[in-house]
Amino acid sequence: MEGFVSWPAELAERYRHEGYWRGEVLGDIPRRTARGHGDRIALVDERRSWTYAELDDEADRMAAGLRQLGIQAGDRIVVQLPNVGEFVVLCLAAYRAGVIPVLALPGHRRSEIAYLCELSGAVGYVIPSRHGGFDFLGLAREVVAEVPRVRHVLVLGDSGEFTALASVTAEPEPLPALDPAGVAMLLLSGGTTGLPKLIPRTHDDYAYNVRASAELCAVDENTSYLVVLPVSHNFAWGCPGVLGVLRSGGKVVLAGNGSPAEVFPLVQREQVSMVALVPPLLALWSDARYRFDADLSSLRLLQVGGSKLAEPQAREALGTFGCTLQQVFGMAEGLLNFTHLDDPEDVVVTTQGRPLSPADEVLVADQDRSGRGELLTRGPYTLRGYYRAAEHNRFAFTPEGYYRTGDLVRLTAEGNLVVEGRIKDQINRGGEKIAAAEIEGHLAEHPSIQEAAVVGAADPVLGETICAFVRVSGPAPSLAEIRRFVQARGVAAYKAPDSVEVVDSWPLTSVGKIDKKALARSLAERGR
Ligand code: OOB
C-alpha cells in the first residue's frame, strides 16, 4: 500500500519467528466463540444485544454488502460512529472485506473529517444521522461537497439522501484472502504539527497488541467489559478493549457516556468486571461512589490511562473501589505500558507500568541528571512511519526506526516508566490530545488576532486545559467569541480554547521563537 512504511524484513522475520506475529487477521477475532458458543452474549448497547453467532453473521453479511456497493479490499472508509454495536459490526465487516476503516471521533467536525477523507483517500464515510444533538447528515453534505472522492455516505438511522447502513447487507460470500502483514486500519494520532496524522496498524501487529494485552489483563469468557471512552479510541478498542474481550468470549457493554448516574446501574445490571477510564472520569466515579446505592462489587479491574494519574487520586481509587487498579501509558502509535495485576501497591500508584512486549525496545534519550529524557521506542506493534507523511516521518523517527514519542519519562530501578512531562507541542486535556499548532492556525485567521500561541494550563480536574495567548490589533475578542470562531471553522468542540490571555509582546527563545515555556510559567505564577 503506497504511503505505508513497513517493518524492515529482518525484524518482520524475527517477530514471526518469535511468535509475536501469527498471521491472524482481525476479522476472525470473534469466530472461535461464535463457532463453539454462538449463543453467548458478545455485545450489549443501549438498544439491543448481539450473541456471538449474530455478531459473526452480521459482520459477514455487512462485509458482502460493502463489496456489493463496490467498496473493495484496500479502499478506505472514515468511520465516525458513537458507542453503538454497529460500530463493532462495521469494523469487523471492514476487516473481513479488507476495507480499511479510519477511526474518527464523534466530536470531529468538518475541518477534521474533510482532512481525514482527503488524506486517507476515503471512498466512504459512516455516520449516525444525529448524535449528541448534532446533525451528521448536514456535516456529511459539507464533506462530500469538499471531497468528491467520497462516493458513499452510510448512515445509522434516518439516511436522508444517503445510504442506510442497515441496507448494507448481502448473502455472505467467499471473501478475498488477506495479507496479515497488510494495513488493517488507520488510527488517529494526537498530532503535534497541524492536523492529526494517520497511524497504519496491520493485522499482525494489532492482533498481537490485542492478544498480549488481553493475556496481561487476564481477560476471559467471564469478563464483562464496559466501554465509556469513545470506542474508536485505541485504549477502548484494543488495549485489550473490545477486541480483547471478543477474542476471549467475554461480553462487551457499550455505554453512551461515562456519567455515574447512567453507568453505575449498568455496572450492576451487566455485572461489569472491567473498564477503561481516563483520570478525570476516575475522579468523577470516585466522588460519586457513595452517592449512588448501585452495587459495584462485580468490578475487578479499573484501567486508567490517557493522561497522568496523580498518586493521591490513585490511592483514593484503591480505597474507594477495593478492586485492582492498573495504570496504562499507551499511544495509538503502538507502545503500551501497563502496571501488572500483581504489582505492589506502590508500583501501581506511582508508575505508569512497563512495556507490554519482551520485544519492545525502549530508550530514554538525552537524559538529564535525574535520568529524565525522551522516550524512544520500536517493536512488534509500534509503527515505522505515519501514513503518507514522508516529510514528517524524517523527524518523528530516528534513523534506526525508533518512534520519538515526545514524552519525557524516567525508568525506575525495577524497570517501570514514570511519565514526567513532554516535549511535544501538544495539550493533553483529560486524555484528549490537541496539537497546539492546529489551534494556532485557526486563531490566526481571526480578523483581530495577529498571532496566537496555545499552551496547556494546569487544571485540577482535566490535568490541563487549553489557554490561547493572543496578540491583537483592535478590540480584543472575548473568550466566548474565540470559542465560537474556532467552532465555526468546523473544529471539534473539545479543541476550543478554555481561556484567553491578551499580550502586547511575546517572550522569545534564544532563536527568536515564541517561548511557550515562559508563557506556561506566567500562567503558573499567577495560579492559573
Ligand atoms: C492514549 O493514546 P493517544 O494516542 O491518545 O495518546 C498518547 C499520549 C502519550 O504519548 C502520552 O503523552 C499520553 O498520551 N499518555 C499518558 C498516559 N497515557 C497516555 N501520559 C501520562 N500517563 C499515562 N498513563 O492515550 C492511550 C492509548 C492506549 C492505551 C492508553 C492510552
Side-chain angles (χ1 to χ4, degrees):
M1 181 174 168
E2 154 275 325
F4 163 56
V5 187
S6 56
W7 283 260
E10 331 75 83
L11 264 183
E13 188 42 46
R14 181 187 148 203
Y15 296 150
R16 282 193 195 98
H17 182 71
E18 293 179 2
Y20 302 113
W21 294 355
R22 297 185 183 166
E24 294 165 342
V25 287
L26 298 180
D28 283 345
I29 278 180
R31 291 228 202 255
R32 192 163 35 123
T33 307
R35 289 192 182 131
H37 305 273
D39 52 0
R40 256 194 216 149
I41 297 295
L43 203 57
V44 180
D45 74 7
E46 276 167 7
R47 288 164 306 124
R48 68 166 274 204
S49 66
W50 283 256
T51 64
Y52 271 87
E54 286 167 340
L55 176 62
D56 194 43
D57 180 59
E58 286 185 28
D60 273 339
R61 287 174 189 278
M62 193 177 279
L66 288 169
R67 287 161 56 81
Q68 211 165 65
L69 281 177
I71 304 180
Q72 306 283 348
D75 284 348
R76 276 79 65 199
I77 56 174
V78 171
V79 177
Q80 192 185 24
L81 290 176
N83 289 4
V84 291
E86 287 82 357
F87 175 91
V88 182
V89 178
L90 172 68
C91 285
L92 290 173
Y95 295 153
R96 288 177 184 185
V99 172
I100 299 172
V102 182
L103 302 190
L105 293 171
H108 286 143
R109 294 295 176 257
R110 198 208 72 249
S111 110
E112 290 103 355
I113 297 294
Y115 164 84
L116 291 173
C117 287
E118 192 71 63
L119 176 62
S120 67
V123 299
Y125 174 37
V126 190
I127 50 167
S129 52
R130 281 190 82 76
H131 177 70
F134 181 74
D135 168 27
F136 282 84
L137 292 177
L139 174 56
R141 285 180 198 116
E142 294 179 332
V143 169
V144 294
E146 203 170 320
V147 193
R149 198 192 156 104
V150 176
R151 283 179 280 127
H152 304 279
V153 175
L154 311 179
V155 186
L156 178 63
D158 250 341
S159 58
E161 70 270 41
F162 302 119
T163 307
L165 184 61
S167 72
V168 184
T169 177
E171 266 316 297
E173 53 172 15
L175 293 166
L178 299 174
D179 176 6
V183 176
M185 65 179 160
L186 293 164
L187 298 179
L188 268 53
S189 81
T192 50
T193 54
L195 284 152
K197 299 282 175 291
L198 290 175
I199 298 163
R201 301 294 305 251
T202 66
H203 290 278
D204 268 332
D205 101 62
Y206 210 68
Y208 173 56
N209 182 113
V210 166
R211 181 174 78 240
S213 315
E215 282 166 7
L216 188 139
C217 295
V219 171
D220 64 17
E221 71 276 12
N222 298 315
T223 301
S224 172
Y225 175 72
L226 175 69
V227 185
V228 292
L229 303 179
V231 61
S232 56
H233 190 275
N234 184 36
F235 191 9
W237 186 235
C239 305
V242 173
L243 293 180
V245 173
L246 292 179
R247 78 176 281 287
S248 315
K251 176 173 73 178
V252 171
V253 180
L254 295 160
N257 71 58
S259 80
E262 202 168 294
V263 152
F264 283 5
L266 200 57
V267 170
Q268 181 173 340
R269 192 186 83 204
E270 299 294 343
Q271 290 293 292
V272 168
S273 60
M274 176 175 172
V275 64
L277 299 172
V278 288
L281 260 183
L282 178 68
L284 206 64
W285 282 36
S286 291
D287 283 351
R289 174 68 188 93
Y290 299 109
R291 282 194 281 114
F292 292 86
D293 61 3
D295 176 8
L296 305 186
S297 60
S298 56
L299 285 172
R300 295 274 172 277
L301 177 62
L302 294 179
Q303 296 185 287
V304 184
S307 65
K308 181 83 179 252
L309 178 63
E311 182 183 337
Q313 200 195 334
R315 288 203 193 274
E316 185 195 336
L318 277 177
T320 308
F321 294 98
C323 67
T324 307
L325 181 71
Q326 177 186 62
Q327 294 214 39
V328 188
F329 163 37
M331 51 206 75
E333 283 79 359
L335 181 72
L336 302 173
N337 303 278
F338 295 88
T339 58
H340 290 212
L341 305 189
D342 57 358
D343 273 344
E345 179 173 322
D346 275 334
V347 168
V348 171
V349 300
T350 61
T351 83
Q352 279 67 58
R354 48 200 177 277
L356 174 63
S357 174
D360 282 323
E361 299 176 75
V362 300
L363 299 174
V364 183
D366 303 325
Q367 295 181 24
D368 64 14
R369 256 188 254 132
S370 60
R372 200 175 73 146
E374 186 186 8
L375 175 65
L376 309 183
T377 186
R378 62 180 188 186
Y381 61 101
T382 296
L383 87 173
R384 302 291 296 210
Y386 291 100
Y387 180 61
R388 290 184 172 165
E391 192 74 23
H392 183 70
N393 287 339
R394 275 193 271 283
F395 59 90
F397 296 83
T398 71
E400 296 75 33
Y402 284 84
Y403 166 57
R404 298 184 200 271
T405 65
D407 291 313
L408 279 178
V409 302
R410 74 182 158 77
L411 262 173
T412 67
E414 305 85 51
N416 288 296
L417 289 168
V418 177
V419 180
E420 298 266 5
R422 65 166 179 260
I423 53 174
K424 51 190 168 191
D425 199 5
Q426 188 183 75
I427 293 153
N428 189 333
R429 189 178 186 275
E432 293 187 301
K433 317 300 181 319
I434 298 105
E438 179 182 349
I439 306 312
E440 288 160 0
H442 288 294
L443 293 173
E445 297 296 322
H446 189 284
S448 54
I449 295 179
Q450 290 200 311
E451 205 173 2
V454 168
V455 301
D459 183 86
V461 178
L462 293 171
E464 280 180 282
T465 57
I466 306 169
C467 178
F469 284 83
V470 294
R471 203 161 59 78
V472 298
S473 57
S478 67
L479 173 63
E481 155 62 15
I482 286 184
R483 288 177 60 85
R484 256 199 313 276
F485 177 78
V486 169
Q487 285 173 255
R489 290 179 59 79
V491 177
Y494 71 83
K495 297 181 184 170
D498 298 290
S499 58
V500 183
E501 299 277 328
V502 179
V503 296
D504 299 323
S505 64
W506 299 107
L508 297 177
T509 65
S510 54
V511 292
K513 286 207 228 168
I514 294 179
D515 187 348
K516 290 197 170 183
K517 281 193 192 141
L519 293 174
R521 261 198 317 274
S522 82
L523 287 176
E525 278 158 13
R526 286 174 288 145
R528 302 256 179 102

